[in-house]
Amino acid sequence: MKLHNTLTKKIDDFLPLKAQQARLYSCGPTVYDHIHIGNLSSFIVADTLRRVLAASGFEPRHVMNFTDVDDKTIARSRERYPDVPPMEALRRLTAEYSRIFLDDMRAVGNDVAAITFVKATDNIEAMRQLITKLHADGFAYVTDDGVYFSIEAYRRSGKTYGQLTEITAQSTSEARIQNDEYDKASVHDFALWKAWRAGEPAWEFELAGKNLKGRPGWHVECSVMSSGQLGQPFDIHTGGIDLIFPHHENEIAQSTAGQTDPLYAKYFVHNEHLLVDGKKMSKSLGNFYTLKDVQAKGFDPLAFRLLVLQAHYRSQAHFSWENLAAAQNRLNDLRALAALRWQPREVAHDSGTEALRDIPQQLTDILANDLDTPEALAFLSRVATQLLAVHIEKDMVDHFEAMLQGIDELLGLELMKVGDITAAQKELIAGREAARARQDWAESDRLRDKLAKQGVGLRDHPHGVIWFPQS
RNA sequence: GGCGCGGUGGCCGAGGAGUUAGGCAGCGGUCUGCAAAACCGCUUACACGGGUGCGAAUCCCGUCCGUGCCUCCA
């Protein structure tokens, strides 16, 4: 298995730290609103990575967090529930959007059962402990508005701040320097803990004899939850490229300050952004979509998954309705392939069952090359074209189903969910065949139209009619 | 200003020095009761200018254009 590692800026062989384990941490959603399809694309990549690791013989352990306390969740919860205590308002809001998030995840084929989810608010004690330790070791300082991490102290200890991306004086924008309104010693220093402000939820915290009631900073949440669940160092950390700086740099700094082992995570895998109309999604540009919008236009969420997988994760994919329609057509084609398992040919014809059995392995090999999903789909399309031309015979069904199962495990396309048609629909098909036999074309076409309305398309072949799901 | 990534046929999108990517759409044809599918053919792709190669879409330099990070944004 090869993966592009932001730490080395190269495609590296994946060599796990412990035996065959693949410990994977993905920065999860901030649960204050519906996530957008760009967020979702990131999670589709992480899900696919876990699938490919598993197929490549590793034992993945995949952890994802819910950021359920931060500026946005707090602001939104106060708007939505102005009359309940802040902590309860926060809990209600984040519970609601966590649930919606999981629904979206499942809809696009991400296997949430394979992920261990952790909530920031369930890990406050561990955060307090880490901050206390950082403070005791001289890497954190207390100010009026919270506790900050000192990058200067980190650098003095001999470690590098900026392992993922170069950080220099010139690379710091004027805007950042000018907007440096907080009580920090240096521009890059970041909050580990934020002091309480009226109306906000808060947790008790005593540090160096001072009462520091407040809440954790964003970066410390991920540091604590990743190592708490996976140990440190762990194998792979994933996220969108926008998280490289400052989020992941800060995680590395916090987690390795004062540690003898300078490694936080061995591999950092970052996915590029999904562009809409050639631009990054943003509310102000009006190119901001959620999965609800995709569904409202009649598209299958799995068509969106296919759209994401059609592009390599390190390139900017383009979302457009036209592009999504193409992906939907491709999905329909794959479903037509899957439907063959309910209608095998009686006639034996000598097509190799061995070939079918090898397909998941061939897909795995392609995907193990830095998650080459576009090539994998191209391969799959060639397979589909070939099989749809010859169909499958009765004694190949087991192998065929094993192949579909393997494809689903790798790509999450849920082809095994393509069910059989009803007995009534089978009768309609038989009735049409009878009508055709007596050359009653009007009746034949009527039955075909009726089936089409029920989502069943037909193709007449020399060796018989086959049906396929039609959306 | 600093650090990246990219510009491929009507659209989308891989690949990446000589060999058909793939998807979507269009046109012509074969087949078919009709359709769908399939198959065959066509629409002669790699931003521009230089350079290095026997050979460049693929490497190098430059230009233009797009895009991202440098703001708690996946």
Side-chain angles (χ1 to χ4, degrees):
Chain A
M1 174 100 201
K2 291 178 188 297
L3 278 176
H4 183 268
N5 186 359
T6 312
L7 277 171
T8 60
K9 315 235 178 341
K10 290 195 321 255
I11 294 173
D12 292 336
D13 274 317
F14 174 66
L15 301 169
L17 291 157
K18 274 190 196 169
Q20 285 300 97
Q21 287 182 27
R23 290 170 296 163
L24 185 62
Y25 182 85
S26 300
C27 283
T30 301
V31 280
Y32 73 108
D33 200 346
H34 287 90
I35 60 167
H36 57 68
I37 57 175
N39 295 304
L40 222 31
S41 78
S42 195
F43 301 130
I44 290 170
V45 171
D47 177 76
T48 306
L49 173 58
R50 192 201 60 253
R51 290 167 183 275
V52 175
L53 284 165
S56 300
F58 300 103
E59 293 162 29
R61 180 161 154 62
H62 192 185
V63 174
M64 186 180 288
N65 70 294
F66 284 123
T67 297
D68 60 350
V69 53
D70 80 321
D71 291 344
K72 285 179 297 199
T73 46
I74 290 170
R76 197 36 116 58
S77 67
R78 291 178 65 190
E79 270 168 47
R80 280 283 276 280
Y81 305 105
D83 302 325
V84 299
M87 193 71 93
E88 174 60 14
L90 182 71
R91 198 198 58 75
R92 282 193 201 174
L93 180 90
T94 57
E96 180 190 344
Y97 283 109
S98 297
R99 199 167 52 242
I100 292 170
F101 167 75
L102 291 174
D103 287 344
D104 284 357
M105 287 284 277
R106 279 187 278 263
V108 296
N110 290 338
D111 185 359
V112 296
I115 303 173
T116 303
F117 289 98
V118 281
K119 287 159 63 177
T121 53
D122 286 342
N123 289 272
I124 301 292
E125 177 51 27
M127 296 175 201
R128 283 188 290 233
Q129 283 172 17
L130 176 62
I131 296 166
T132 302
K133 182 173 185 310
L134 288 170
H135 184 261
D137 292 348
F139 294 105
Y141 55 92
V142 178
T143 70
D144 287 342
D145 60 6
V147 182
Y148 287 88
F149 184 85
S150 169
I151 285 164
E152 182 54 36
Y154 182 70
R155 284 184 167 147
R156 270 203 312 270
S157 76
K159 293 198 171 69
T160 305
Y161 181 74
Q163 296 180 25
L164 298 165
T165 186
E166 196 184 340
I167 294 161
T168 63
Q170 293 95 327
S171 75
T172 303
S173 69
E174 287 298 314
R176 180 165 175 138
I177 293 163
Q178 278 161 15
N179 290 345
D180 189 23
E181 64 200 42
Y182 297 106
D183 196 7
K184 302 188 283 190
S186 148
V187 270
H188 286 309
D189 288 359
F190 54 92
L192 294 163
W193 188 264
K194 296 189 167 193
W196 178 76
R197 283 184 295 196
E200 291 189 351
W203 287 261
E204 296 301 325
F205 187 22
E206 198 166 298
L207 185 64
K210 279 177 84 172
N211 177 7
L212 288 173
K213 183 171 102 166
R215 60 181 170 95
W218 178 41
H219 312 300
V220 81
E221 296 182 4
C222 281
S223 278
V224 162
M225 288 185 274
S226 60
S227 56
Q229 291 291 323
L230 298 170
Q232 187 178 310
F234 57 93
D235 297 295
I236 306 175
H237 196 313
T238 77
I241 51 160
D242 54 334
L243 295 185
I244 294 173
F245 182 84
H247 187 49
H248 290 169
E249 293 292 359
N250 292 351
E251 278 184 52
I252 292 171
Q254 285 162 348
S255 295
T256 60
Q259 305 283 335
T260 44
D261 188 342
L263 200 60
Y264 170 52
K266 191 174 177 188
Y267 301 87
F268 275 84
V269 174
H270 292 108
N271 61 280
E272 254 294 355
H273 288 298
L274 179 71
L275 302 186
V276 177
D277 303 329
K279 300 215 182 300
K280 187 178 166 179
M281 239 180 292
S282 72
K283 281 180 176 161
S284 55
L285 287 172
N287 62 356
F288 187 93
Y289 297 115
T290 66
L291 195 63
K292 276 204 308 196
D293 300 320
V294 166
Q295 289 166 309
K297 290 233 182 193
F299 289 105
D300 195 303
L302 289 172
F304 174 69
R305 182 183 187 86
L306 217 39
L307 181 144
V308 171
L309 297 179
Q310 273 171 352
H312 187 86
Y313 76 94
R314 284 190 289 116
S315 71
Q316 294 170 331
H318 291 266
F319 178 85
S320 66
W321 296 111
E322 194 186 348
N323 209 187
L324 186 59
Q328 179 75 60
N329 284 334
R330 190 173 204 173
L331 178 64
N332 293 158
D333 237 32
L334 292 172
R335 284 177 172 164
L337 172 73
L340 292 179
R341 80 180 164 114
W342 301 111
Q343 42 191 335
R345 292 171 63 171
E346 296 289 343
V347 197
H349 59 101
D350 191 26
S351 48
T353 51
E354 294 303 314
L356 289 184
R357 193 167 20 200
D358 289 345
I359 284 166
Q361 186 56 52
Q362 286 172 276
L363 268 182
T364 303
D365 292 344
I366 293 168
L367 289 166
N369 181 25
D370 193 26
L371 238 49
D372 193 352
T373 53
E375 181 57 34
L377 290 176
F379 170 73
L380 200 52
S381 284
R382 284 193 291 272
V383 169
T385 300
Q386 282 169 24
L387 288 175
L388 281 164
V390 298
H391 305 165
I392 57 162
E393 60 193 17
K394 260 212 151 109
D395 58 5
M396 283 169 67
V397 171
D398 287 351
H399 293 289
F400 184 69
E401 288 182 351
M403 179 196 84
L404 292 178
Q405 185 81 45
I407 294 169
D408 279 353
E409 279 166 18
L410 280 162
L411 296 170
L413 297 175
E414 302 183 357
L415 298 178
M416 282 296 278
K417 282 196 180 167
V418 174
D420 201 355
I421 52 176
T422 64
Q425 288 170 330
K426 285 177 184 169
E427 265 172 49
L428 289 176
I429 292 174
R432 173 172 173 274
E433 286 304 280
R436 289 181 71 212
R438 60 178 188 270
Q439 305 202 345
D440 183 352
W441 310 126
E443 175 66 0
S444 157
D445 290 350
R446 189 185 71 80
L447 293 174
R448 183 170 61 198
D449 290 347
K450 190 169 176 182
L451 281 159
K453 286 204 181 80
Q454 296 176 18
V456 179
L458 296 179
R459 290 173 191 166
D460 294 326
H461 288 265
H463 52 270
V465 62
I466 65 150
W467 60 264
F468 57 94
Q470 203 176 240
S471 59

